[in-house]
Amino acid sequence: MKKLFLFIITLASIEGHAQGIKVGLKAGVNYANFNNSDIQTDAITSFHGGLVTEFSLLKNFSLQPELLYSTQGAELNDFGQQIKNELGYISIPVLAKFYLNDNLSLEIGPQASFLLSERNEVEAGDSNTFDFAVAGGLTYKLGKHFFVQGRYGLGLTEPKRDAAVKNSVLQGSIGFMF
């Protein structure tokens, strides 16, 4: 935890020395489900949080890589009971960020996620360790440092080995840029 704190402080100090680089933190709520499934599922509410970096490349265009912890999954209903399946990922979205005006931006890009944990009420270990998705959303700046964000992530790979499902997650975030 101390190493993470020192890393964040180091990244924040870089922002003061390098023009066009911003570093921040964000956290929020996930509304996740599996899609493309023959299995009846319900969405789960979970969370995400992590680091945000923005590299300004042109006046209205930036590149925004992030390092997030994100919990996704679903509740499975086809077994006569509800079975909750939560998958904890380290997600790395790399988004192209287009500023529509000074405060509003549109982001879109790929996201690679690596499975860290699996908490469920079914047999553990039936999940793939890598998930690839495309993500897109909007960010609105609230002053110089704060922002709110809405994003949708559509999985392109199957997170479960024995089921033809894909992750789907709607995220709402708040954040602070140093």
Side-chain angles (χ1 to χ4, degrees):
M1 190 64 161
K2 289 180 185 178
K3 289 180 182 179
L4 177 61
F5 181 72
L6 289 173
F7 179 70
I8 292 169
I9 296 298
T10 302
L11 287 177
S13 68
I14 290 171
E15 191 272 328
H17 299 290
Q19 194 71 358
I21 299 175
K22 296 179 185 174
V23 177
L25 300 171
K26 78 176 211 177
V29 64
N30 286 352
Y31 187 72
N33 203 347
F34 292 145
N35 64 11
N36 296 341
S37 173
D38 293 333
I39 301 170
Q40 179 64 33
T41 62
D42 287 328
I44 62 170
T45 302
S46 57
F47 67 93
H48 66 275
L51 298 171
V52 179
T53 306
E54 183 178 338
F55 299 96
S56 184
L57 301 176
L58 300 171
K59 183 178 188 239
N60 293 324
F61 178 74
S62 297
L63 191 62
Q64 183 171 301
E66 300 176 1
L67 180 63
L68 306 173
Y69 179 81
S70 180
T71 305
Q72 299 177 35
E75 282 191 10
L76 312 172
N77 296 320
D78 272 1
F79 304 104
Q81 61 182 349
Q82 286 190 324
I83 301 170
K84 192 172 188 178
N85 186 209
E86 291 182 359
L87 305 170
Y89 290 102
I90 288 290
S91 296
I92 306 169
V94 179
L95 306 172
K97 186 170 188 171
F98 303 94
Y99 279 93
L100 304 175
N101 62 36
D102 288 342
N103 294 323
L104 184 64
S105 60
L106 170 71
E107 298 101 16
I108 190 163
Q111 174 177 292
S113 298
F114 303 91
L115 185 66
L116 285 185
S117 64
E118 181 174 13
R119 188 172 74 187
N120 56 18
E121 299 164 2
V122 294
E123 184 178 326
D126 66 342
S127 296
N128 291 319
T129 58
F130 179 76
D131 186 51
F132 187 74
V134 63
L138 294 170
T139 298
Y140 188 79
K141 289 183 185 179
L142 303 169
K144 185 176 179 182
H145 297 287
F146 290 97
F147 64 90
V148 293
Q149 187 176 69
R151 182 180 296 167
Y152 180 72
L154 177 62
L156 302 176
T157 58
E158 296 177 352
K160 307 300 285 177
R161 289 188 179 112
D162 56 355
V165 298
K166 295 184 175 150
N167 277 317
S168 172
V169 61
L170 184 62
Q171 298 178 323
S173 309
I174 57 170
F176 182 85
M177 296 298 275
F178 295 99

PDB file of all heavy atoms in Angstrom, residues 108-120:
ATOM      1  N   ILE A 108     -13.280   6.642 -26.470  1.00  0.00           N
ATOM      2  CA  ILE A 108     -13.515   5.316 -27.042  1.00  0.00           C
ATOM      3  C   ILE A 108     -12.178   4.617 -27.227  1.00  0.00           C
ATOM      4  O   ILE A 108     -11.175   5.259 -27.549  1.00  0.00           O
ATOM      5  CB  ILE A 108     -14.292   5.393 -28.384  1.00  0.00           C
ATOM      6  CG1 ILE A 108     -14.726   3.996 -28.805  1.00  0.00           C
ATOM      7  CG2 ILE A 108     -13.516   6.112 -29.446  1.00  0.00           C
ATOM      8  CD1 ILE A 108     -15.814   3.971 -29.838  1.00  0.00           C
ATOM      9  N   GLY A 109     -12.174   3.304 -26.999  1.00  0.00           N
ATOM     10  CA  GLY A 109     -10.944   2.561 -27.200  1.00  0.00           C
ATOM     11  C   GLY A 109     -11.006   1.143 -26.657  1.00  0.00           C
ATOM     12  O   GLY A 109     -12.018   0.714 -26.095  1.00  0.00           O
ATOM     13  N   PRO A 110      -9.910   0.408 -26.796  1.00  0.00           N
ATOM     14  CA  PRO A 110      -9.844  -0.977 -26.332  1.00  0.00           C
ATOM     15  C   PRO A 110      -9.561  -1.050 -24.831  1.00  0.00           C
ATOM     16  O   PRO A 110      -9.033  -0.118 -24.227  1.00  0.00           O
ATOM     17  CB  PRO A 110      -8.672  -1.549 -27.129  1.00  0.00           C
ATOM     18  CG  PRO A 110      -7.770  -0.375 -27.335  1.00  0.00           C
ATOM     19  CD  PRO A 110      -8.695   0.809 -27.511  1.00  0.00           C
ATOM     20  N   GLN A 111      -9.917  -2.199 -24.269  1.00  0.00           N
ATOM     21  CA  GLN A 111      -9.643  -2.446 -22.857  1.00  0.00           C
ATOM     22  C   GLN A 111      -9.222  -3.894 -22.680  1.00  0.00           C
ATOM     23  O   GLN A 111      -9.933  -4.812 -23.097  1.00  0.00           O
ATOM     24  CB  GLN A 111     -10.892  -2.164 -22.020  1.00  0.00           C
ATOM     25  CG  GLN A 111     -10.742  -2.519 -20.555  1.00  0.00           C
ATOM     26  CD  GLN A 111     -11.977  -2.143 -19.770  1.00  0.00           C
ATOM     27  OE1 GLN A 111     -12.258  -0.961 -19.619  1.00  0.00           O
ATOM     28  NE2 GLN A 111     -12.708  -3.124 -19.279  1.00  0.00           N
ATOM     29  N   ALA A 112      -8.076  -4.105 -22.057  1.00  0.00           N
ATOM     30  CA  ALA A 112      -7.598  -5.445 -21.709  1.00  0.00           C
ATOM     31  C   ALA A 112      -7.776  -5.630 -20.210  1.00  0.00           C
ATOM     32  O   ALA A 112      -7.457  -4.733 -19.428  1.00  0.00           O
ATOM     33  CB  ALA A 112      -6.130  -5.606 -22.091  1.00  0.00           C
ATOM     34  N   SER A 113      -8.306  -6.782 -19.815  1.00  0.00           N
ATOM     35  CA  SER A 113      -8.540  -7.056 -18.399  1.00  0.00           C
ATOM     36  C   SER A 113      -7.962  -8.416 -18.029  1.00  0.00           C
ATOM     37  O   SER A 113      -8.065  -9.375 -18.803  1.00  0.00           O
ATOM     38  CB  SER A 113     -10.036  -7.036 -18.078  1.00  0.00           C
ATOM     39  OG  SER A 113     -10.587  -5.776 -18.329  1.00  0.00           O
ATOM     40  N   PHE A 114      -7.385  -8.469 -16.830  1.00  0.00           N
ATOM     41  CA  PHE A 114      -6.750  -9.685 -16.338  1.00  0.00           C
ATOM     42  C   PHE A 114      -7.442 -10.107 -15.042  1.00  0.00           C
ATOM     43  O   PHE A 114      -7.532  -9.311 -14.102  1.00  0.00           O
ATOM     44  CB  PHE A 114      -5.257  -9.446 -16.112  1.00  0.00           C
ATOM     45  CG  PHE A 114      -4.562  -8.981 -17.349  1.00  0.00           C
ATOM     46  CD1 PHE A 114      -4.435  -7.619 -17.632  1.00  0.00           C
ATOM     47  CD2 PHE A 114      -4.063  -9.893 -18.266  1.00  0.00           C
ATOM     48  CE1 PHE A 114      -3.808  -7.173 -18.790  1.00  0.00           C
ATOM     49  CE2 PHE A 114      -3.440  -9.455 -19.432  1.00  0.00           C
ATOM     50  CZ  PHE A 114      -3.315  -8.111 -19.692  1.00  0.00           C
ATOM     51  N   LEU A 115      -7.918 -11.344 -14.993  1.00  0.00           N
ATOM     52  CA  LEU A 115      -8.669 -11.848 -13.848  1.00  0.00           C
ATOM     53  C   LEU A 115      -7.761 -11.990 -12.631  1.00  0.00           C
ATOM     54  O   LEU A 115      -6.736 -12.655 -12.692  1.00  0.00           O
ATOM     55  CB  LEU A 115      -9.311 -13.197 -14.198  1.00  0.00           C
ATOM     56  CG  LEU A 115     -10.225 -13.805 -13.147  1.00  0.00           C
ATOM     57  CD1 LEU A 115     -11.473 -12.936 -12.968  1.00  0.00           C
ATOM     58  CD2 LEU A 115     -10.614 -15.221 -13.536  1.00  0.00           C
ATOM     59  N   LEU A 116      -8.150 -11.346 -11.531  1.00  0.00           N
ATOM     60  CA  LEU A 116      -7.417 -11.461 -10.269  1.00  0.00           C
ATOM     61  C   LEU A 116      -8.127 -12.356  -9.275  1.00  0.00           C
ATOM     62  O   LEU A 116      -7.480 -13.059  -8.501  1.00  0.00           O
ATOM     63  CB  LEU A 116      -7.255 -10.081  -9.619  1.00  0.00           C
ATOM     64  CG  LEU A 116      -6.255  -9.133 -10.208  1.00  0.00           C
ATOM     65  CD1 LEU A 116      -6.161  -7.883  -9.343  1.00  0.00           C
ATOM     66  CD2 LEU A 116      -4.892  -9.761 -10.326  1.00  0.00           C
ATOM     67  N   SER A 117      -9.453 -12.257  -9.252  1.00  0.00           N
ATOM     68  CA  SER A 117     -10.208 -13.023  -8.259  1.00  0.00           C
ATOM     69  C   SER A 117     -11.545 -13.447  -8.843  1.00  0.00           C
ATOM     70  O   SER A 117     -12.064 -12.827  -9.764  1.00  0.00           O
ATOM     71  CB  SER A 117     -10.429 -12.191  -6.997  1.00  0.00           C
ATOM     72  OG  SER A 117     -11.232 -11.064  -7.277  1.00  0.00           O
ATOM     73  N   GLU A 118     -12.059 -14.513  -8.273  1.00  0.00           N
ATOM     74  CA  GLU A 118     -13.362 -15.011  -8.686  1.00  0.00           C
ATOM     75  C   GLU A 118     -14.110 -15.410  -7.421  1.00  0.00           C
ATOM     76  O   GLU A 118     -13.666 -16.278  -6.673  1.00  0.00           O
ATOM     77  CB  GLU A 118     -13.200 -16.207  -9.617  1.00  0.00           C
ATOM     78  CG  GLU A 118     -14.503 -16.754 -10.113  1.00  0.00           C
ATOM     79  CD  GLU A 118     -14.315 -17.852 -11.149  1.00  0.00           C
ATOM     80  OE1 GLU A 118     -13.192 -18.353 -11.311  1.00  0.00           O
ATOM     81  OE2 GLU A 118     -15.304 -18.203 -11.793  1.00  0.00           O
ATOM     82  N   ARG A 119     -15.209 -14.718  -7.190  1.00  0.00           N
ATOM     83  CA  ARG A 119     -16.036 -15.046  -6.033  1.00  0.00           C
ATOM     84  C   ARG A 119     -17.402 -15.460  -6.562  1.00  0.00           C
ATOM     85  O   ARG A 119     -18.086 -14.675  -7.211  1.00  0.00           O
ATOM     86  CB  ARG A 119     -16.160 -13.852  -5.100  1.00  0.00           C
ATOM     87  CG  ARG A 119     -16.854 -14.203  -3.799  1.00  0.00           C
ATOM     88  CD  ARG A 119     -16.801 -13.081  -2.844  1.00  0.00           C
ATOM     89  NE  ARG A 119     -17.750 -12.063  -3.295  1.00  0.00           N
ATOM     90  CZ  ARG A 119     -17.861 -10.873  -2.738  1.00  0.00           C
ATOM     91  NH1 ARG A 119     -17.079 -10.529  -1.752  1.00  0.00           N
ATOM     92  NH2 ARG A 119     -18.748 -10.008  -3.181  1.00  0.00           N
ATOM     93  N   ASN A 120     -17.760 -16.697  -6.298  1.00  0.00           N
ATOM     94  CA  ASN A 120     -19.043 -17.170  -6.802  1.00  0.00           C
ATOM     95  C   ASN A 120     -19.563 -18.300  -5.945  1.00  0.00           C
ATOM     96  O   ASN A 120     -18.899 -18.764  -5.030  1.00  0.00           O
ATOM     97  CB  ASN A 120     -18.943 -17.593  -8.262  1.00  0.00           C
ATOM     98  CG  ASN A 120     -17.891 -18.648  -8.487  1.00  0.00           C
ATOM     99  OD1 ASN A 120     -17.450 -19.307  -7.564  1.00  0.00           O
ATOM    100  ND2 ASN A 120     -17.484 -18.815  -9.727  1.00  0.00           N
TER     101      ASN A 120
END
